[in-house]
Amino acid sequence: MRDRSLQYVLLVPAFLIVLTTTIYPLAYSLTTAFRDWDLTRSRRPEGWVGFDNFAHAFTESHFLNSLWVTTIFVVSSVALTLVISMSLALLLRRKGWLHTFTRIVLILPFAMSPALIGVSFRFMFNPEFGVLSNGLAAVFPGLDGTPWLASPNLAMAILVLTDVWHWAPYMTFMCLGGLASIPRETEEAARIDGASNLRIIWEIILPQMKGVLLVTAILKTIFALKMFDQVVTLTGGGPGTSTETLAYFIFNVGFEWYDMGYASALAWILTAIMMTISIWYVRMLLSERKMATA
């Protein structure tokens, strides 16, 4: 009995930390989402407005634009990351000193701060002294002096590139773990039957990797939806609002426009989007497991 009481006592500090850093802020932001709170008028939340903040979001062009930008970014980033990660995992599954060295190098991008990555790529794509900008101009002279971050399409492409460069190594290691669980005997039997490498990948490896790829897609989608640092340090949401993701728009509403009630409502809309997509992914994963065990 004493041991059981000690267990609960030891959990109290952890519970208090979670309560003060997670549960209370979430509850407070939820109540704020239903209230009118303009920091230029009051330091405290004012009257209740019901669902007005949520209704206003879906009639405002800024929010709809940020939702569209986020959709483009998430779809592009997740798709490219999965393709590149799986391709790298297939190349690195063999053992050897070169493969080990490559795995060590791959962890470096993920170890870097997202804000630092944004600043670095901003300098590298500078049309005057950027390393990548000058390198591309040396190979393709027509690109000399291209204002990479001043074009809406190019700025979005570079933003996606930085995010893929950051997360692809981490997802590659997840794919490597999944590949390690596939029996080699199945591939060897297929090779004896004359199957090509492409057919082995498409008909043997990928079907057995569906579960790992779905988990990877869940994580990458959540990370992409709440991506914020690179937007701030790389594009600043520009040019115009062409790279203003929903997370960055929420920041602007709360700390540039000082409308905390509206910002809280937007944050919960983003949370609802992430929960909906996660539930959809999990259902796909569970149905895939049922089919595999049937």
Side-chain angles (χ1 to χ4, degrees), residues 65-200:
N65 173 75
S66 67
L67 200 59
W68 174 245
V69 170
T70 302
T71 302
I72 295 174
F73 173 79
V74 170
V75 172
S76 304
S77 176
V78 172
L80 280 175
T81 301
L82 289 179
V83 171
I84 293 175
S85 300
M86 190 63 200
S87 301
L88 288 174
L90 289 170
L91 291 173
L92 296 174
R93 64 187 306 206
R94 297 180 180 178
K95 296 182 180 180
W97 71 269
L98 184 60
H99 294 79
T100 303
F101 175 76
T102 306
R103 294 183 187 189
I104 295 173
V105 173
L106 271 179
I107 203 66
L108 294 178
F110 182 69
M112 293 179 64
S113 164
L116 178 60
I117 292 172
V119 173
S120 301
F121 273 84
R122 186 179 183 90
F123 276 103
M124 287 191 288
F125 276 102
N126 187 286
E128 296 181 3
F129 53 78
V131 174
L132 291 178
S133 179
N134 290 332
L136 290 171
V139 179
F140 306 100
L143 297 178
D144 187 23
T146 301
W148 298 96
L149 296 177
S151 168
N153 293 331
L154 290 177
M156 174 58 73
I158 293 172
L159 188 63
V160 171
L161 173 66
T162 59
D163 191 63
V164 172
W165 184 83
H166 181 213
W167 285 105
Y170 177 74
M171 302 303 172
T172 298
F173 287 112
M174 291 186 64
C175 292
L176 280 171
L179 288 174
S181 64
I182 298 177
R184 289 280 186 173
E185 294 78 8
T186 309
E187 296 181 46
E188 293 173 359
R191 293 186 191 280
I192 293 173
D193 291 338
S196 63
N197 290 331
L198 184 60
R199 188 174 180 182
I200 290 173

Side-chain angles (χ1 to χ4, degrees), residues 185-234:
E185 294 78 8
T186 309
E187 296 181 46
E188 293 173 359
R191 293 186 191 280
I192 293 173
D193 291 338
S196 63
N197 290 331
L198 184 60
R199 188 174 180 182
I200 290 173
I201 293 172
W202 190 258
E203 297 184 5
I204 296 177
I205 295 178
L206 288 181
Q208 298 185 68
M209 286 287 293
K210 282 185 179 179
V212 175
L213 291 176
L214 279 173
V215 172
T216 305
I218 293 173
L219 294 175
K220 185 64 190 74
T221 301
I222 294 174
F223 294 146
L225 281 169
K226 64 187 185 67
M227 194 274 295
F228 174 77
D229 306 67
Q230 285 103 312
V231 179
V232 175
T233 57
L234 180 61

Side-chain angles (χ1 to χ4, degrees), residues 57-70:
F58 292 97
T59 59
E60 187 191 17
S61 59
H62 282 86
F63 168 75
L64 296 177
N65 173 75
S66 67
L67 200 59
W68 174 245
V69 170
T70 302

